[in-house]
Amino acid sequence: MYAFLHSQAIYEEARQRLFRSIACFKQGLVRPELFRSCWHFPVFSTSQHALCAYLQEQRVLISSFRYPTPANEPVTRIVLISLHSPEDLHRLLDLVNSCAPV
């Protein structure tokens, strides 16, 4: 209980880091129209399903699975967390931008 009651500053710092990461990712996209997202929500959906395989080849994992049944189109998403470093985000952006269709 003590840890929970005294963790507010840690949670707030992580939250602010996450908001900065979201803003950095949005600003760094060459083709932002390829992604859908909600304000301050760290999930970026795309219909560019080939992105998943390309990123996996580059040793970057994102979420992509068929939902709600195996017959449906994949749901492909990039999910940011507060532990992603600025270097992680820049690498991800470089990869995403290099894979984006022209």
Side-chain angles (χ1 to χ4, degrees):
M1 186 56 115
Y2 177 88
F4 175 73
L5 293 174
H6 292 88
S7 63
Q8 183 64 35
I10 296 168
Y11 283 112
E12 185 57 31
E13 179 184 330
R15 185 172 173 260
Q16 292 306 315
R17 236 184 359 258
L18 181 58
F19 289 160
R20 285 191 300 272
S21 293
I22 293 168
C24 174
F25 187 77
K26 284 182 177 181
Q27 291 170 355
L29 288 171
V30 171
R31 300 280 311 277
E33 69 276 7
L34 297 177
F35 293 88
R36 294 177 309 281
S37 66
C38 297
W39 185 76
H40 278 168
F41 192 64
V43 177
F44 296 83
S45 300
T46 183
S47 60
Q48 304 299 311
H49 306 301
L51 178 63
C52 182
Y54 171 73
L55 290 176
Q56 190 170 5
E57 289 172 4
Q58 305 302 315
R59 302 180 53 87
V60 174
L61 297 177
I62 64 171
S63 172
S64 185
F65 55 92
R66 294 180 182 276
Y67 181 82
T69 73
N72 288 93
E73 284 290 313
V75 177
T76 302
R77 307 176 299 177
I78 293 174
V79 180
L80 302 179
I81 63 170
S82 63
L83 295 176
H84 285 125
S85 69
E87 293 79 18
D88 294 335
L89 291 174
H90 292 297
R91 179 166 184 258
L92 177 61
L93 281 166
D94 287 344
L95 293 170
V96 167
N97 289 334
S98 70
C99 184
V102 181

